[in-house]
Amino acid sequence: MRSLIDIRDLSTAEIDELVRTACDIIDNPGKYSEKCHGKKLATLFFEPSTRTRLSFEAAMYELGGNVLSVSSGSSSSAAKGESIADTAKTVSCYADIIAMRHPKEGAPYVAAANASIPVINAGDGGHNHPTQTLADLLTIYREKGGFDNLTIGLCGDLKFGRTVHSLIAAMSRYAGIKFVLISPLELKVPSYVKKDVIKKNGIPYTQTTDLVSVMPELDILYMTRVQRERFFNEEDYLRLKDSYILDTRKLETAKPDLCIMHPLPRVNEISVAVDNDPRACYFKQVLNGKYMRMALILKLLEEAKK
Ligand code: NCD
């Protein structure tokens, strides 16, 4: 059964196909409004979420399907000690496809190994978040017209930020990519991402703690929240949480066609004044996420028929 656990589960051709489908959905929504008639999506969210869960659910409704939802671990049998494997087998009896978010890295992988329906990783701990990356990719495509020859600045919590790990994995397959990794020393990109993804693909990269000095070279600036829930102690979080705050002054040296992204939720990383800058793309990402999740649900349900 085809699932999506890691963004690298999709080939470059499949990502292109998802982008094409999402663009077609944007242009012709009526064509898709009954495609999932009679199908059910189960959203199993064992960690907080606004955008990801609601966009999956909105996506399924816009495809004419229905939704079953667990919106917190404490309201499901997980609180009684049920294993991920048993939960996956159970939900396979009720639904046609699962979207799962879990605080433990690898939980959606275990679910996929035990489910008889496709499982989509909607964020596993500090590991991966492939469907946020699909939202990011559609945004980059619509803003930049393609994926090649981009200098991408990733700023903030690059250690625990799962959206960053998945975006690096996705962008590492394109030509002429350069990463600028901007973080406090304590929150650098994990060495496994650097070794297995960036270095393995021969992608040029620089690491810095200083956002302002690299601003002029960036085509994309991907801001992230410091991931409070993954810290071992609150003091470290409080010390690091406001390491980077993007404001209009810092943008003075940026390219006129910079694309400013953020997976959201924002805490303090981008001042609200930046929202009025035409280069701010983070609310476009939210909408693009729904279209890409529609395209993904369609693809996985189609493949499940085979
Ligand atoms: C992200 C996540 O859950 O990893 N949120 C999202 O899905 N858009 C980013 C975050 O929580 O900081």
Side-chain angles (χ1 to χ4, degrees), residues 279-298:
R279 294 170 291 186
C281 293
Y282 26 96
F283 289 106
K284 294 182 185 172
Q285 276 168 274
V286 175
L287 186 58
N288 287 332
K290 183 183 71 175
Y291 296 127
M292 279 304 251
R293 290 180 176 109
M294 289 173 79
L296 178 67
I297 291 169
L298 280 173

Side-chain angles (χ1 to χ4, degrees), residues 169-194:
M171 294 308 294
S172 288
R173 60 178 92 198
Y174 298 105
I177 293 299
K178 187 181 163 202
F179 293 120
V180 182
L181 308 173
I182 310 146
S183 74
L185 294 175
E186 293 94 327
L187 299 177
K188 289 202 288 196
V189 167
S191 51
Y192 80 88
V193 174
K194 227 178 281 168

Side-chain angles (χ1 to χ4, degrees), residues 132-180:
Q132 179 61 46
T133 299
L134 293 178
D136 301 342
L137 289 174
L138 182 58
T139 307
I140 293 171
Y141 178 81
R142 294 180 80 190
E143 297 301 314
K144 295 285 175 195
F147 302 118
D148 294 336
N149 304 318
L150 295 169
T151 296
I152 305 167
L154 298 138
C155 179
D157 187 347
L158 309 189
K159 180 180 181 185
F160 296 117
R162 55 194 174 194
T163 63
V164 167
H165 307 156
S166 293
L167 184 60
I168 288 175
M171 294 308 294
S172 288
R173 60 178 92 198
Y174 298 105
I177 293 299
K178 187 181 163 202
F179 293 120
V180 182

Side-chain angles (χ1 to χ4, degrees), residues 51-52 101 129 132 162-163 225 227 229 262-265:
R51 273 153 294 272
T52 306
R101 168 169 290 189
H129 194 347
Q132 179 61 46
R162 55 194 174 194
T163 63
R225 167 181 77 90
Q227 306 277 299
E229 63 275 40
H262 191 308
L264 304 180

Side-chain angles (χ1 to χ4, degrees), residues 2-294:
R2 186 83 193 273
S3 286
L4 177 65
I5 305 303
D6 186 301
I7 193 69
R8 287 169 293 180
D9 296 342
L10 293 168
S11 68
T12 307
E14 285 176 317
I15 287 184
D16 288 346
E17 171 203 320
L18 289 171
V19 166
R20 267 199 309 276
T21 307
C23 291
D24 195 46
I25 292 170
I26 294 167
D27 293 339
N28 307 290
K31 195 169 128 189
Y32 293 87
S33 63
E34 289 300 323
K35 289 261 188 213
C36 287
H37 180 76
K39 297 286 180 197
K40 279 170 282 177
L41 162 76
T43 50
L44 309 181
F45 276 59
F46 300 99
E47 253 194 359
S49 169
T50 299
R51 273 153 294 272
T52 306
R53 186 167 67 86
L54 296 187
S55 71
F56 264 113
E57 298 185 354
M60 194 54 167
Y61 285 124
E62 288 189 27
L63 291 167
N66 285 302
V67 172
L68 307 171
S69 186
V70 168
S71 58
S72 79
S74 60
S75 69
S76 75
S77 285
K80 300 181 185 171
E82 185 168 59
S83 68
I84 301 284
D86 287 359
T87 301
K89 285 180 187 158
T90 301
V91 176
S92 298
C93 300
Y94 305 139
D96 300 283
I97 185 165
I98 293 172
M100 173 184 273
R101 168 169 290 189
H102 203 282
K104 288 218 174 80
E105 288 80 5
Y109 175 82
V110 174
N114 288 278
S116 54
I117 58 177
V119 175
I120 301 170
N121 178 2
D124 62 328
H127 195 210
N128 283 321
H129 194 347
T131 65
Q132 179 61 46
T133 299
L134 293 178
D136 301 342
L137 289 174
L138 182 58
T139 307
I140 293 171
Y141 178 81
R142 294 180 80 190
E143 297 301 314
K144 295 285 175 195
F147 302 118
D148 294 336
N149 304 318
L150 295 169
T151 296
I152 305 167
L154 298 138
C155 179
D157 187 347
L158 309 189
K159 180 180 181 185
F160 296 117
R162 55 194 174 194
T163 63
V164 167
H165 307 156
S166 293
L167 184 60
I168 288 175
M171 294 308 294
S172 288
R173 60 178 92 198
Y174 298 105
I177 293 299
K178 187 181 163 202
F179 293 120
V180 182
L181 308 173
I182 310 146
S183 74
L185 294 175
E186 293 94 327
L187 299 177
K188 289 202 288 196
V189 167
S191 51
Y192 80 88
V193 174
K194 227 178 281 168
K195 181 166 154 280
D196 299 346
V197 184
I198 302 180
K199 288 186 181 162
K200 196 173 159 197
N201 289 291
I203 310 288
Y205 73 98
T206 53
Q207 292 192 94
T208 177
T209 54
D210 183 20
L211 171 60
V212 173
S213 66
V214 296
M215 188 67 86
E217 54 186 286
L218 305 179
D219 298 305
I220 291 172
L221 172 57
Y222 196 92
M223 297 296 294
T224 62
R225 167 181 77 90
V226 175
Q227 306 277 299
R228 179 182 207 157
E229 63 275 40
R230 318 244 181 261
F231 274 68
F232 292 110
N233 70 68
E234 183 75 359
E235 270 158 50
D236 285 348
Y237 168 72
L238 293 174
R239 183 168 52 81
L240 293 167
K241 73 181 175 69
D242 291 329
S243 299
Y244 302 99
I245 299 175
L246 183 66
D247 55 23
T248 48
R249 200 173 44 83
K250 290 198 183 99
L251 283 167
E252 276 166 14
T253 60
K255 289 189 180 172
D257 62 347
L258 173 71
C259 174
I260 306 166
M261 300 176 69
H262 191 308
L264 304 180
R266 146 175 71 182
V267 184
N268 263 338
E269 311 77 52
I270 304 181
S271 96
V272 287
V274 175
D275 299 1
N276 300 323
D277 189 306
R279 294 170 291 186
C281 293
Y282 26 96
F283 289 106
K284 294 182 185 172
Q285 276 168 274
V286 175
L287 186 58
N288 287 332
K290 183 183 71 175
Y291 296 127
M292 279 304 251
R293 290 180 176 109
M294 289 173 79

